[in-house]
């Protein structure tokens, strides 16, 4: 059965999409069969993996509204072993359109249950909000991976996220756990980055991945070319870091 990981943090700009794209690509590079699900209406994961989001007929939006089948909204990518369920701006209206639907928190889970055994990993990119889309990701996922940027307000909003995860565990998905925390945008030249890492380790009672993702120019450039970092610049510090993170994720025996 495929392991489903939601990449979540309601704070924007922490590296959720970057982590979704590059973790997915590095897992595929390691021989895993991976499905990436873009649940963010901005569709940045979709374009960052190389799809033209405005030209797509069936997306996660149509899937949630039961206007297409799960098979018709899964697209191949330029990366061997990596498929994607894409998103575009249409998804921004889903929150309102789902209001009248019973068990709307389980729409994604019910669809994914049909194909989860086809993949080793399913990676979900959540929007930067604790909304119905994020709830759908959390009811579908086995675990939540939380990217935290190495900046001054790193812990801001984190307690709210953990509270939401607790509520989802109690009421909607008791099997879901926090996969762990991964630090992003780390700058070894600053004391602040080191202080943030230490602060989080002292205040969070959860797994913290050893791999730390550096602030890296190539990582920032890759999405504009529609490529994950391991294809855009396979020898960059960003590519090496995401390969190490993928290895850590694969080696987790407790999940």
């Amino acid at each position: 059965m495929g392991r489903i990981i939601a990449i979540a943090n309601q704070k924007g700009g922490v590296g959720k999409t970057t982590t979704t794209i590059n973790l997915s690509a590095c897992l595929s590079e390691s021989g895993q069969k991976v499905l990436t699900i873009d649940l963010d209406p901005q569709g940045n994961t979709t374009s960052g993996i190389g799809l033209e989001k405005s030209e797509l007929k069936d997306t996660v939006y149509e899937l949630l509204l039961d206007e297409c089948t799960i098979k018709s909204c899964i697209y191949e990518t330029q990366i061997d072993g990596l498929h994607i369920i894409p998103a575009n701006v249409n998804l921004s209206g889903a929150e309102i359109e789902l209001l009248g639907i019973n068990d709307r928190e389980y729409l994604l889970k019910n669809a994914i249950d049909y194909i989860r055994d086809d993949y080793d990993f399913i990676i979900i990119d959540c929007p930067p909000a604790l909304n119905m889309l994020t709830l759908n990701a959390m009811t579908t996922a086995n675990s939540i991976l939380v990217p935290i940027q190495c900046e001054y307000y790193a812990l801001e909003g984190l307690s709210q996220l953990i509270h939401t995860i607790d509520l989802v565990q109690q009421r909607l998905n008791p099997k879901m756990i926090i996969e762990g925390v991964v630090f992003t945008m780390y700058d070894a030249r600053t004391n602040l980055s080191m202080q943030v890492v230490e602060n989080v380790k002292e205040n969070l009672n959860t797994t913290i991945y050893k791999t730390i993702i550096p602030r890296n120019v190539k990582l920032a450039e890759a999405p504009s070319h529609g490529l994950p970092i391991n294809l855009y610049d396979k020898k960059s510090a960003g590519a090496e870091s995401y390969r190490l993170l993928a290895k850590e994720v694969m080696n987790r025996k407790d999940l």
Side-chain angles (χ1 to χ4, degrees):
M1 184 179 286
R3 191 164 132 208
I4 305 178
I5 303 172
I7 313 288
N9 188 335
Q10 80 270 27
K11 200 169 183 298
V14 300
K16 284 189 299 295
T17 297
T18 300
T19 296
T20 300
I21 292 170
N22 294 308
L23 175 59
S24 298
C26 289
L27 286 168
S28 297
E29 184 183 73
S30 298
Q32 304 296 301
K33 193 168 184 193
V34 182
L35 174 66
T36 302
I37 303 175
D38 192 350
L39 261 192
D40 188 339
Q42 295 175 84
N44 290 338
T45 290
T46 300
S47 55
I49 279 178
L51 275 71
E52 183 50 63
K53 56 192 175 188
S54 61
E55 297 175 1
L56 301 170
K57 177 175 176 282
D58 292 331
T59 68
V60 73
Y61 169 75
E62 283 77 20
L63 179 66
L64 291 173
L65 292 181
D66 201 24
E67 293 177 0
C68 73
T69 65
I70 183 73
K71 296 284 188 183
S72 70
C73 66
I74 295 176
Y75 294 77
E76 291 186 355
T77 72
Q78 59 200 317
I79 302 138
D80 287 342
L82 176 60
H83 293 162
I84 185 170
I85 298 179
N88 55 28
V89 70
N90 292 342
L91 188 58
S92 56
E95 192 83 8
I96 294 167
E97 296 186 58
L98 295 177
L99 281 176
I101 299 176
N102 291 332
D103 293 328
R104 57 187 180 274
E105 301 91 349
Y106 296 101
L107 293 172
L108 183 64
K109 179 188 183 302
N110 292 340
I112 296 305
D113 278 348
Y114 286 103
I115 51 92
R116 65 182 299 163
D117 291 343
D118 297 342
Y119 296 93
D120 300 304
F121 285 92
I122 298 175
I123 311 292
I124 308 174
D125 186 21
C126 296
L130 297 176
N131 57 17
M132 187 54 61
L133 295 172
T134 301
L135 276 181
N136 264 272
M138 288 183 177
T139 55
T140 306
N142 306 122
S143 60
I144 310 293
L145 180 62
V146 184
I148 297 180
Q149 86 284 27
C150 294
E151 294 177 358
Y152 184 70
Y153 293 112
L155 288 171
E156 191 177 78
L158 203 57
S159 58
Q160 169 104 45
L161 176 65
I162 290 170
H163 177 63
T164 301
I165 290 170
D166 287 341
L167 287 176
V168 171
Q169 286 171 323
Q170 291 168 28
R171 301 178 187 180
L172 299 171
N173 185 4
K175 294 180 180 176
M176 182 193 68
I177 64 167
I178 298 181
E179 166 101 13
V181 165
V182 59
F183 291 107
T184 62
M185 304 178 203
Y186 182 84
D187 189 341
R189 299 168 298 178
T190 66
N191 287 330
L192 177 61
S193 284
M194 290 181 273
Q195 288 167 2
V196 168
V197 169
E198 290 309 313
N199 192 12
V200 171
K201 285 180 177 176
E202 289 169 10
N203 288 283
L204 270 189
N205 182 27
T206 189
T207 299
I208 294 175
Y209 277 104
K210 293 188 182 77
T211 302
I212 295 178
I213 310 301
R215 192 176 286 280
N216 182 254
V217 173
K218 296 296 184 182
L219 271 177
E221 291 174 354
S224 64
H225 297 271
L227 292 169
I229 190 62
N230 61 333
L231 292 188
Y232 179 66
D233 188 341
K234 63 184 180 182
K235 293 184 177 176
S236 68
E240 288 303 321
S241 295
Y242 274 110
R243 284 191 188 102
L244 289 171
L245 180 63
K247 191 177 288 187
E248 273 198 85
V249 168
M250 287 187 294
N251 287 340
R252 287 288 292 277
K253 303 301 183 192
D254 55 328
L255 297 172

